[in-house]
Amino acid sequence: MELIDLRSDTVTRPTPEMRAAMAQAEVGDDVYGEDPTVNRLQELAASMLGKQAGLFLPSGTMGNLAAVLAHCGRGDEVILGNRSHTFLYEAGGISALGGVHSCQLPNQPDGSLALEDIRAAIRADDPHQPPTRLLCLENTHNRCGGTYQAPEYSHEAAGLAHAHGLQVHLDGARLFNAAAALGRDAAALVEPLDSVTVCLSKGLCAPVGSVLCGSKQFIGKAHRVRKMLGGGMRQAGILAAAGIVALENMVHRLGEDHARARRLADGLRQVEGLELEAGAPATNMVFLGLGPSIPMTARQAAAGLEERGVLVGVVGGRRFRLVTHYWVDDAGVERAVSAFGEVVKG
Ligand SMILES: *Cc1c(COP(=O)(O)O)cnc(C)c1O
């Protein structure tokens, strides 16, 4: 039985085209800057995001960490969301490894930070206080349900930050999903921002890697940080080749995943006892819960779903996260809906 794996879009295996590109990739020693495939990926990502330069890293976590360490010194403060990936899920690296202090503001339901909150959090020049150096945003916003923010918000937030001498970094792990949902160019979403990380290994299906983009000068600093973190790789063109396929051929199809997420949500809404948020999912994530009429935990339900070949993310005692991606087709969506129907009927 083929598994329908809805736990995350990180489970996406490389496409056959990616495997072929990897097998044929021209490579060199990237620590010497001599891997032509890595160089091509970095230039491609930078040009798609409208930035001067890019840096290939093994993960989004390292991309965000390298960005924060390149923007901030020890004792500096970064403003970020209390539900942001960097705050919740990156092992506290910015503090543990960078000595960077964090100010956590409440994420709004759409994943943004309220401009008034940002304004109020920026510190005065006072020896008692850490200097506020950086604002970190996230788009799409993972913990807020794959929600996205429009370019107008980036402009307002960056305008405010820059007026106070702050830099702005975007965790754009799923930036291209936001661009697809808005029908805008990714570059338009990050135009006023100083740096941005995008993941190749989520909905874009590459096996490994993220690209951090920004000015030439900034990427020069981040390059040294990447080496310090142990992220300098040698014949990394094997991996970058898949990343090039991801950027060239997978970005334009993300809207299909969003359409399937809507279909999945519509189907699950018809299953008695399941509780879905009103409105269509913003991008490729569907969150749902078990209503009071269903006498089981999310873990128990997930075990029943697994017996039927459907894997789901459990994100609370009675809550699930389902993520659509390249390897989930229409039939997979239908199978997931009927598996839920069977399991909750008991
Ligand atoms: C996945 C993800 C990252 C980076 O994750 P890695 O697993 O380290 O590549 C960063 N931010 C967000 C919002 C993510 O979803």
Side-chain angles (χ1 to χ4, degrees):
M1 179 171 50
E2 207 196 322
L3 285 177
I4 313 295
D5 196 343
L6 294 161
R7 288 172 301 165
S8 176
D9 48 8
T10 57
V11 302
T12 45
R13 299 177 304 280
T15 63
E17 191 187 1
M18 285 176 182
R19 290 184 188 265
M22 294 170 81
Q24 288 151 21
E26 244 189 283
V27 296
D29 190 328
D30 184 50
V31 173
Y32 294 165
E34 289 175 1
D35 189 303
T37 309
V38 170
N39 291 340
R40 198 149 59 83
L41 169 67
Q42 292 175 163
E43 284 160 24
L44 175 63
S47 84
M48 287 172 75
L49 299 179
K51 301 297 177 201
Q52 289 176 351
L55 185 69
F56 183 49
L57 297 112
S59 68
T61 297
M62 194 186 284
N64 289 332
L65 178 58
V68 173
L69 268 55
H71 284 301
C72 301
R74 300 187 71 80
D76 285 347
E77 185 172 65
V78 52
I79 296 174
L80 42 61
N82 63 350
R83 305 178 79 186
S84 66
H85 194 278
T86 298
F87 178 61
L88 291 176
Y89 302 126
E90 296 176 12
I94 60 170
S95 304
L97 304 173
V100 176
H101 190 59
S102 70
C103 169
Q104 307 117 38
L105 298 180
N107 279 112
Q108 301 302 304
D110 70 351
S112 66
L113 300 176
L115 297 178
E116 317 81 79
D117 290 351
I118 298 172
R119 193 175 291 113
I122 298 171
R123 309 262 194 170
D125 182 11
D126 169 352
H128 294 85
Q129 302 189 31
T132 312
R133 201 68 75 189
L134 180 67
L135 169 65
C136 282
L137 303 172
E138 185 175 318
N139 197 12
T140 64
H141 202 286
N142 187 340
R143 260 302 289 279
C144 290
T147 48
Y148 53 85
Q149 297 116 49
E152 293 69 30
Y153 173 76
S154 304
H155 275 280
E156 284 178 305
L160 172 61
H162 290 156
H164 289 85
L166 276 59
Q167 301 288 101
V168 188
H169 172 69
L170 178 73
D171 177 354
R174 296 186 183 80
L175 177 69
F176 293 110
N177 291 86
L182 286 156
R184 300 288 295 265
D185 235 29
L189 277 67
V190 301
E191 196 262 319
L193 311 180
D194 301 289
S195 60
V196 52
T197 315
V198 291
C199 282
L200 305 168
S201 60
K202 306 247 158 115
L204 301 183
C205 287
V208 174
S210 284
V211 188
L212 172 63
C213 294
S215 70
K216 269 209 174 72
Q217 197 197 6
F218 169 79
I219 291 298
K221 276 174 117 175
H223 196 166
R224 174 164 292 134
V225 174
R226 184 186 69 175
K227 184 66 189 161
M228 183 173 72
L229 296 173
M233 299 181 284
R234 302 294 177 175
Q235 284 75 37
I238 299 272
L239 300 171
I244 291 170
V245 176
L247 291 180
E248 286 184 339
N249 297 345
M250 303 300 282
V251 167
H252 71 87
R253 60 155 304 284
L254 290 172
E256 293 175 27
D257 298 339
H258 301 177
R260 289 204 177 91
R262 289 195 290 274
R263 212 166 306 145
L264 181 61
D266 288 343
L268 292 171
R269 214 169 261 130
Q270 308 306 314
V271 176
E272 210 173 303
L274 294 182
E275 292 181 343
L276 281 97
E277 278 148 33
T283 53
N284 66 336
M285 296 181 188
V286 178
F287 286 79
L288 68 147
L290 297 171
S293 65
I294 298 176
M296 59 177 83
T297 65
R299 291 223 162 275
Q300 289 166 332
L305 291 165
E306 187 167 354
E307 283 168 23
R308 291 162 177 81
V310 176
L311 304 183
V312 298
V314 172
V315 293
R318 299 177 62 77
R319 251 170 92 73
F320 309 92
R321 185 185 78 159
L322 277 49
V323 187
T324 55
H325 53 73
Y326 181 77
W327 296 103
V328 177
D329 60 10
D330 291 337
V333 167
E334 278 167 38
R335 261 185 59 199
V337 171
S338 32
F340 261 101
E342 287 172 29
V343 167
V344 302
K345 242 192 294 157

